[in-house]
Amino acid sequence: MRTLNVDLGSRSYPIHIGPKLIDREELITPHLPTRKAAIVTNEVVAPLYLQRLCATLARAGVQTIPIILPDGEIHKNWQTLNTIFDALLREHCDRATTLIALGGGVTGDMTGFAAASYQRGVPFIQIPTTLLAQVDSSVGGKTAINHPLGKNMIGAFYQPRLVLADTETLQTLPAREFSAGLAETIKYGLIRDAAFFDWLEQNIDALLALDPQALGHAIEHSCRIKAEIVAADETDQAERIQLNLGHTFGHAIETGTGYGQWLHGEAVAVGTLMAAELSRHTGWLNNEDIIRIKRIFHRAKLPMQGPALKVPVYMELMAHDKKTEAGKLRFVLLKSIGKATVKNNISIDKISSSIKTYSTNS
Ligand code: NAD
Ligand code: GLY
């Protein structure tokens, strides 16, 4: 098992990474203030891992209340969130009941938001079961639901007390979902760590083959970078914005196509290609860098071309981006592979051209 720490003073918490961690009650129980926990999961993950987690907690005398949500990004909304509150109230859950998210980023984001707001805040644990959630969404305390007009628009910063990434759960993850998680993994190399990008180029096939050593290293390294960034800028005022590389375009793709058509990681991959192109227009990345970025996404089996959305649709959707300041769009761009920066005042022509380079029929 590999263990890291997210350093946030009195709200610091461990990230444990390794196989079969779902079976380790001694890793979970120190973080429960009482012997009552609600496990929020979904209809796909429940048949795979819920019973095992309940058995683990039962061994420690913990009463568990399962809450099973419908599957998919399309359900990351108020209505589903309300079903969590309904169950918590029905089961007389009090302020010391811990909410445990068991699943991917959709489950984690919704459970975190429920934990932040139920009775003004209850303890929260993340047990991520997708690559994307293990390298990114379970760490750092961003919680949210979607709005029809914008992705993750309603939410809160609310940190978990523990992240338990059981790497064996990735064995049941569909290949398309695994690739989506690679998009966020590659992001860390692009924004901050050229050597990690090199390592990913050399090990992408091992990762796709679920090689345990390669997976452990990639998840640990990604979490280490994320933990450093979150410790330095928990609420997204400065450095943390870099984690949104490709997300301005990517969120527009997800919202514009209707949530769930494009996986988050897929939209981020195409959004990153657009951001890389914008970086090239700005005079930073060169053609060789663009080729390397395209090649690694291709090898990770990620889409290289966006949907048939027109530029004005992107512009309208991107106007809701959370990075927008005083009506001005801000983009995370790459000065080089391994070094990100945030830039505003980019001409519409350059933005438009970057979108068109990676769009179908535009
Ligand atoms: P997801 O939660 O929808 O999971 C993907 C699919 O895999 C789902 O169908 C799920 O039921 C299934 N699944 C989960 N674990 C499985 C397993 N072990 N075996 C088989 N199937 C499994 O999607 P995701 O990619 O994990 O997360 C995407 C979400 O995360 C988006 O809503 C995005 O906005 C959010 N996100 C949040 C942050 C953050 O910092 N909070 C960061 C990145 C992404
Ligand atoms: N995934 C972006 C962030 O956590 O800030």
Side-chain angles (χ1 to χ4, degrees):
M1 182 176 84
R2 303 159 190 252
T3 297
L4 304 170
N5 190 50
V6 183
D7 193 359
L8 288 169
S10 60
R11 292 175 297 111
S12 298
Y13 54 93
I15 306 169
H16 298 306
I17 301 158
K20 298 196 193 307
L21 301 193
I22 279 184
D23 305 316
R24 303 268 302 269
E25 64 267 29
E26 79 283 6
L27 296 178
I28 305 174
T29 48
H31 303 279
L32 303 178
T34 62
R35 304 279 105 165
K36 186 167 175 176
I39 303 173
V40 184
T41 185
N42 74 21
E43 60 202 3
V44 170
V45 177
L48 296 168
Y49 303 110
L50 178 60
Q51 211 179 353
R52 250 174 81 195
L53 181 58
C54 289
T56 300
L57 290 167
R59 281 197 296 279
V62 179
Q63 178 201 350
T64 49
I65 296 149
I67 302 177
I68 301 175
L69 308 178
D71 180 44
E73 187 75 37
I74 192 98
H75 296 292
K76 190 180 170 185
N77 56 25
W78 271 120
Q79 202 184 349
T80 313
L81 185 70
N82 231 351
T83 64
I84 303 178
F85 297 135
D86 290 345
L88 294 174
L89 286 164
R90 209 169 39 237
E91 298 291 338
H92 301 283
C93 294
D94 59 21
R95 287 166 110 172
T97 304
T98 302
L99 261 61
I100 301 179
L102 173 70
V106 169
T107 302
D109 279 14
M110 275 196 295
T111 308
F113 190 31
S117 46
Y118 183 68
Q119 300 200 7
R120 302 197 182 92
V122 295
F124 168 46
I125 286 175
Q126 288 268 21
I127 305 190
T129 63
T130 63
L131 179 63
L132 185 140
Q134 294 188 357
V135 298
D136 191 349
S137 65
S138 64
V139 176
K142 277 191 183 175
T143 77
I145 54 169
N146 299 328
H147 185 281
L149 294 180
K151 171 96 180 137
N152 292 336
M153 280 294 144
I154 324 286
F157 286 98
Y158 195 68
Q159 300 294 337
R161 292 179 174 210
L162 162 72
V163 177
L164 197 71
D166 184 333
T167 49
E168 244 181 47
T169 61
L170 301 180
Q171 285 176 3
T172 55
L173 192 66
R176 185 180 166 202
E177 299 288 352
F178 187 86
S179 288
L182 285 175
E184 298 279 24
T185 314
I186 293 165
K187 171 185 81 179
Y188 294 110
L190 287 171
I191 62 170
R192 184 132 165 152
D193 191 335
F196 184 50
F197 188 85
D198 294 347
W199 183 90
L200 286 167
E201 286 183 318
Q202 283 152 28
N203 289 277
I204 200 86
D205 295 332
L207 289 171
L208 286 164
L210 302 186
D211 174 82
Q213 279 304 323
L215 261 184
H217 177 74
I219 296 168
E220 180 186 1
H221 202 79
S222 300
C223 287
R224 190 180 300 285
I225 293 176
K226 181 141 188 193
E228 277 171 18
I229 292 176
V230 169
D233 174 27
E234 183 183 3
T235 57
D236 225 358
Q237 308 300 312
E239 203 175 339
R240 187 166 181 171
I241 294 173
Q242 295 177 5
L243 289 171
N244 271 303
L245 175 69
H247 286 57
T248 310
F249 297 114
H251 284 168
I253 292 172
E254 284 186 85
T255 308
T257 52
Y259 299 117
Q261 290 267 324
W262 278 69
L263 302 183
H264 176 72
E266 294 173 340
V268 165
V270 171
T272 299
L273 292 173
M274 291 173 179
E277 182 66 7
L278 201 46
S279 308
R280 193 177 68 84
H281 279 304
T282 309
W284 291 331
L285 293 188
N286 59 35
N287 290 341
E288 179 58 31
D289 297 324
I290 299 284
I291 289 167
R292 282 181 76 193
I293 296 170
K294 283 166 77 165
R295 193 188 300 132
I296 198 164
F297 283 141
H298 178 67
R299 289 182 62 207
K301 304 188 193 308
L302 284 157
M304 310 292 290
Q305 204 70 14
L309 285 182
K310 299 287 181 199
V311 169
V313 176
Y314 273 94
M315 297 310 290
E316 169 62 23
L317 291 167
M318 291 194 304
H320 291 294
D321 188 83
K322 291 192 282 306
K323 291 185 292 303
T324 301
E325 258 185 4
K328 287 213 168 88
L329 275 175
R330 292 192 295 168
F331 287 90
V332 182
L333 299 187
L334 295 172
K335 290 206 145 176
S336 60
I337 288 178
K339 189 161 173 40
T341 190
V342 179
K343 187 160 170 42
N344 58 11
N345 285 325
I346 301 178
S347 78
I348 298 284
D349 286 352
K350 286 180 181 164
I351 298 171
S352 168
S353 158
S354 302
I355 292 170
K356 285 180 181 167
T357 304
Y358 291 101
S359 287
T360 312
N361 302 327
S362 69

